[in-house]
Amino acid sequence: MACFFRRSIAAQLSRIFGQDEAFFLPLVCAVPVSKRQPTPDFRLTVSSLVKSGVLPPDGDLPAQTACLARQLKGDGVVEEVIPTRGVINFRINKLLLAEKLLTSVHAEPQGFGMQSEILQRLRRGRVLVEYSSPNIAKKFHAGHLRSTIIGNFIANLKEALGNDVIRVNYLGDWGMQFGLLGAGFQRLGSQEKLRENALQHLFEVYVQVNREAEQDESVRLAAAEFFRRLEQHDQQALLLWQQFREISVKEYRRVYERLGIHFNHYSGESFHQSKIQDVLTSLQTQGLLKTTEKGTGVVDLSEAGDMSSYCTVLRSDGTSLYITRDIAAAVDRKEMFSFDEMIYVTDKSQSGHFWQLFLILRMLGHSWAERCVHVPFGLVQGMSTRSGDVVFLEDVLDEARNRMLQNMHQTRTSKELSDPALTAEQIGISALIVQDFKGPLISDYKFNWDQVLQAQGDTGVFLQYTHARLCSLLRTQASVSHTHFDPCHLQDIRSLSTLQHLLRYDEVLLQSALELQPRYLVNFLITLCHLVSSAHRDLSVKGSALSVAQARLHLFSCTCSVLASGMRLLGITPVQKM
């Protein structure tokens, strides 16, 4: 694995500079594979030695590079040391590369790279990830897809790297909108329609009462009164609200099952009502809660204390706001779960909200707020079905499945499948995930079905197709044992390029974990698929000498394992046939 080779280079640097070996490990990086020319395996930027204080900052960089290169020696692991402008490249023994790397993958097919020494500097502990968080009494909107799949990826990655992860779905189950819905349902609702198509009926009631409230003050007053009754735990109001919540969660679980996503806790704004008064008391006791002329409760966030920036935490009628409930939820969660880190995954329009939330928590003396993180994401533009604009997530999932099923029927190479619709759904979901994860999360992007479902482009379909082809090869060659292999048969350019790329896996995991961005892993897997597809095309197994077939099968088997492991981190279920 990469650590073996990094340690060999780091050992030489340790001898030269008198520093511990571990100090140099993060500075030695695997080199991305080039299509145009043979690539060195590892590199060390001399500027990184300057930044870390090992070399003097006022030295001549080319001279420092040349001097250090002369001190680094080739050995049984490092075959060549190549200095360039401010960079020292290393070519390693390719027989050792094949032997060490594939043996490591074979020993831990699902855990390859996870125990790398460069990942040991990551903080580990209990991580709470809040994601998805749809509003109850509404069908699952397509706009919640990004939060759901991004949060799932972050939770998967944190868990794979040794953290105790708590997955929380913080439902929008409180607030003035439930005053509107409650008051509206009492006038317009039907228990019979609720039994027939619950969320559709609630959605229709909400749309109608919301339209009425824009024109009719009495409707707004009735909504405010219903919400006030909720906050005062009126039995009748709570029973109706509880019915809405149970219906919603049941429906959401069904959609999450389609996506292959689970939660440890279904929480919600309502869960932390008992803590709201404690929060307000703390704010008041510490002199942070001020009352405006309008009777609202606010917290002054300005540095100068001149109210140039403030946050409203209490309405004039004494009811709470979203920010108040989020403060209470954060404090409550810390007491309940004793987390070491808490991550919120929401769209970028809420960045200001989380800036206020974390600041108020720190003002209250909660130092752990420094370990609260907001992961913002942009908007998806143009997501629609053939029938028109999409409102609900299930429409998107159905569209992805149906389009993929049609593509599979038109492809002559498609295999006989026991459940074509399920396979089409899994591939369709993988296409949605990869399309979403290819760029920076903060960016908006335009959605295009034809691009998303391409089999030959850099898509989720391509990942699944490559995985299925490798699985097919391993099935058809199951009679050939490849537990033991001769690395001398993996010295061609196709094999070596694939092996060199696998060297980067732990670095990709590190970068993904530090930035909480999936694009690094997506791009790594797409490149891996291109490389192994070329190898599969050029390196025949059938008809080759037994020792050659064994080595190539070992390479394809290990690559398939890493591909499947990376796909699962992204939240994709790898298919065996397609």
Side-chain angles (χ1 to χ4, degrees):
M1 64 186 303
C3 282
F4 171 82
F5 301 105
R6 280 199 201 90
R7 275 198 304 272
S8 180
I9 297 168
Q12 290 205 49
L13 294 168
S14 174
R15 173 180 52 77
I16 293 167
F17 293 109
Q19 292 265 22
D20 188 73
E21 217 174 273
F23 178 85
F24 297 101
L25 286 173
L27 307 182
V28 179
C29 302
V31 179
V33 174
S34 170
K35 294 179 181 178
R36 298 175 184 174
Q37 58 189 16
T39 307
D41 303 291
F42 289 93
R43 68 181 171 208
L44 170 72
T45 59
V46 178
S47 61
S48 68
L49 296 174
V50 174
K51 287 177 184 175
S52 58
V54 174
L55 288 174
D58 53 353
D60 178 70
L61 196 62
Q64 289 174 322
T65 303
C67 177
L68 178 56
R70 285 193 296 271
Q71 296 177 75
L72 291 163
K73 308 297 181 185
D75 54 26
V77 178
V78 177
E79 290 192 334
E80 191 178 4
V81 178
I82 311 160
T84 59
R85 291 184 180 181
V87 177
I88 298 176
N89 292 309
F90 302 87
R91 293 194 194 281
I92 60 176
N93 183 314
K94 296 302 190 289
L95 289 173
L96 267 182
L97 169 62
E99 179 190 341
K100 293 287 185 183
L101 191 67
L102 295 183
T103 300
S104 177
V105 177
H106 185 70
E108 279 191 287
Q110 297 306 313
F112 172 68
M114 302 297 177
Q115 302 304 317
S116 169
E117 290 169 335
I118 66 168
L119 296 172
Q120 298 311 305
R121 64 191 178 103
L122 292 173
R123 177 184 289 174
R124 286 172 174 79
R126 179 167 291 172
V127 181
L128 190 150
V129 187
E130 178 199 300
Y131 58 105
S132 193
S133 307
N135 295 317
I136 70 162
K138 295 181 182 179
K139 290 187 77 171
F140 206 142
H141 194 278
H144 287 283
L145 176 63
R146 292 207 82 184
S147 174
T148 304
I149 59 178
I150 292 166
N152 188 53
F153 160 72
I154 291 171
N156 290 346
L157 180 62
K158 288 284 187 178
E159 200 165 68
L161 294 174
N163 294 279
D164 175 20
V165 175
I166 301 165
R167 301 163 187 254
V168 173
N169 196 340
Y170 185 61
L171 301 171
D173 66 354
W174 208 252
M176 192 57 74
Q177 70 267 33
F178 295 103
L180 268 173
L181 183 61
F185 190 83
Q186 288 178 329
R187 270 194 313 111
L188 308 167
S190 160
Q191 287 293 335
E192 184 180 343
K193 288 183 178 179
L194 205 59
R195 285 190 292 272
E196 290 172 1
N197 192 342
L199 291 190
Q200 183 62 35
H201 180 50
L202 292 177
F203 176 71
E204 290 167 354
V205 169
Y206 183 78
V207 169
Q208 185 173 341
V209 75
N210 200 42
R211 192 182 299 121
E212 290 176 3
E214 291 175 1
Q215 308 295 328
D216 190 338
E217 173 69 18
S218 66
V219 175
R220 293 196 293 273
L221 290 173
E225 172 59 20
F226 189 91
F227 182 52
R228 188 190 62 77
R229 287 167 55 202
L230 267 181
E231 291 229 304
Q232 292 180 355
H233 301 102
D234 175 82
Q235 194 64 29
Q236 187 181 4
L238 280 174
L239 280 173
L240 191 58
W241 168 85
Q242 183 68 31
Q243 185 182 17
F244 295 163
R245 192 180 195 282
E246 288 173 359
I247 287 169
S248 303
V249 171
K250 182 180 178 181
E251 184 70 12
Y252 296 156
R253 285 184 192 273
R254 190 176 58 78
V255 179
Y256 290 130
E257 191 173 337
R258 289 183 70 177
L259 288 166
I261 286 172
H262 74 279
F263 293 91
N264 303 112
H265 294 275
Y266 280 84
S267 178
E269 297 171 62
S270 62
F271 275 52
H272 310 283
Q273 286 300 298
S274 62
K275 289 288 179 183
I276 288 177
Q277 191 53 52
D278 293 345
V279 165
L280 294 172
T281 301
S282 295
L283 288 169
Q284 199 160 29
T285 302
Q286 297 185 44
L288 299 172
L289 184 63
K290 304 180 188 301
T291 305
T292 66
E293 291 178 0
K294 295 179 180 178
T296 58
V298 300
V299 177
D300 183 4
L301 304 179
S302 63
E303 291 185 17
D306 58 4
M307 293 287 286
S308 56
S309 172
Y310 65 88
C311 175
T312 304
V313 294
L314 201 62
R315 291 191 181 90
S316 57
D317 64 0
T319 56
S320 63
L321 284 89
Y322 184 52
I323 185 75
T324 330
R325 298 188 288 274
D326 261 9
I327 298 166
V331 174
D332 212 7
R333 286 173 183 174
K334 182 61 179 176
E335 291 176 4
M336 278 195 293
F337 300 114
S338 190
F339 58 78
D340 300 295
E341 181 182 21
M342 180 158 61
I343 301 168
Y344 298 85
V345 184
T346 74
D347 73 82
K348 61 186 177 183
S349 70
Q350 295 194 49
S351 295
H353 168 83
F354 285 101
W355 177 82
Q356 291 183 335
L357 172 63
F358 300 157
L359 177 57
I360 292 172
L361 287 170
R362 291 195 299 272
M363 290 169 71
L364 283 168
H366 299 301
S367 58
W368 47 263
E370 298 288 349
R371 299 188 298 281
C372 292
V373 180
H374 176 223
V375 178
F377 56 82
L379 302 177
V380 183
Q381 300 162 345
M383 185 178 276
S384 62
T385 65
R386 289 188 176 95
S387 60
D389 292 338
V390 163
V391 175
F392 305 125
L393 177 58
E394 282 212 283
D395 295 331
V396 177
L397 299 185
D398 291 345
E399 185 84 5
R401 180 195 60 212
N402 295 339
R403 283 177 180 255
M404 197 61 231
L405 201 55
Q406 185 178 4
N407 290 357
M408 287 161 60
H409 285 151
Q410 293 171 350
T411 305
R412 292 179 182 177
T413 55
S414 289
K415 304 293 186 292
E416 288 294 326
L417 302 170
S418 58
D419 190 342
L422 176 61
T423 301
E425 173 135 316
Q426 290 171 334
I427 298 170
I429 289 170
S430 68
L432 293 172
I433 290 172
V434 169
Q435 172 69 19
D436 200 276
F437 286 178
K438 281 163 69 173
L441 295 179
I442 197 73
S443 300
D444 300 338
Y445 73 87
K446 290 185 178 180
F447 187 88
N448 182 298
W449 278 112
D450 292 334
Q451 290 178 358
V452 167
L453 297 176
Q454 282 181 358
Q456 300 304 317
D458 294 345
T459 64
V461 181
F462 178 51
L463 294 190
Q464 292 282 25
Y465 177 69
T466 306
H467 182 265
R469 284 187 73 196
L470 291 173
C471 289
S472 175
L473 173 66
L474 295 170
R475 281 194 304 272
T476 58
Q477 300 296 323
S479 61
V480 181
S481 171
H482 54 86
T483 307
H484 302 288
F485 71 102
D486 187 342
C488 75
H489 296 305
L490 298 175
Q491 300 303 296
D492 58 276
I493 187 64
R494 297 299 187 203
S495 300
L496 290 176
S497 293
T498 305
L499 291 167
Q500 285 177 305
H501 187 65
L502 289 172
L503 279 175
R504 296 187 57 237
Y505 191 50
D506 58 353
E507 294 177 15
V508 169
L509 294 175
L510 176 63
Q511 196 167 17
S512 300
L514 290 174
E515 298 185 28
L516 299 179
Q517 293 280 330
R519 71 179 186 273
Y520 304 112
L521 181 54
V522 166
N523 293 332
F524 172 88
L525 294 178
I526 287 172
T527 301
L528 180 62
C529 286
H530 283 296
L531 291 170
V532 78
S533 293
S534 297
H536 184 255
R537 183 189 64 231
D538 294 350
L539 305 178
S540 177
V541 172
K542 187 178 181 180
S544 297
L546 180 61
S547 59
V548 175
Q550 287 175 327
R552 290 174 177 175
L553 279 174
H554 203 67
L555 172 67
F556 292 134
S557 174
C558 289
T559 304
C560 186
S561 295
V562 176
L563 175 58
S565 177
M567 288 168 73
R568 290 190 186 97
L569 286 179
L570 295 174
I572 294 171
T573 302
V575 300
Q576 306 291 315
K577 295 179 182 180
M578 64 178 285

